[in-house]
Amino acid sequence: PMARVLVVAAVAADERAASAVAASGLARALEEVWRDKSDDAEIVLQLLWCYRRLCAGRDAHDGLLRESRVLLDVLDCVGHANPAVARQADLCLDVVVEHDRDPDG
């Protein structure tokens, strides 16, 4: 699972590729990894980093928030016992809020 998350996060560095990932089955696959490995702080940390990169692009951001549980999963991590996970969740939410402040969003 970790390798899949890291590959998707690397691809998400490109905004067009991030949009394609958000619209594809890969986004659902990440949700499955989250569901199966939510007790593994390292995988959760990498998933949050991946979601943060995906949400940086407008189209991917909108698609993920509209068609997945990403926001709920991120919110669940804000008070995580692992400070790195909690920090990454905060950073991910910052990206979501920035898009919501954008006059186009």
Side-chain angles (χ1 to χ4, degrees):
M2 180 70 82
R4 281 185 268 172
V5 174
L6 295 175
V7 168
V8 172
V11 168
D14 177 79
E15 190 170 336
R16 287 189 314 180
S19 295
V21 167
S24 75
L26 287 174
R28 293 280 181 232
L30 291 176
E31 286 186 69
E32 289 178 25
V33 171
W34 190 290
R35 191 172 46 251
D36 294 342
K37 300 293 184 176
S38 63
D39 59 337
D40 184 328
E42 184 59 32
I43 289 181
V44 170
L45 182 63
Q46 295 304 325
L47 280 164
L48 288 166
W49 177 66
C50 183
Y51 286 148
R52 185 172 148 212
R53 292 187 84 172
L54 285 169
C55 285
R58 165 60 68 194
D59 292 338
H61 166 271
D62 293 347
L64 282 172
L65 295 184
R66 185 176 50 248
E67 299 173 17
S68 74
R69 292 185 35 89
V70 168
L71 187 57
L72 296 173
D73 292 338
V74 172
L75 285 169
D76 284 345
C77 290
V78 170
H80 199 279
N82 182 318
V85 170
R87 176 75 178 130
Q88 194 64 243
D90 282 338
L91 292 171
C92 195
L93 289 175
D94 287 346
V95 172
V96 171
V97 169
E98 281 305 310
H99 278 299
D100 288 345
R101 286 186 195 156
D102 184 351
D104 296 331

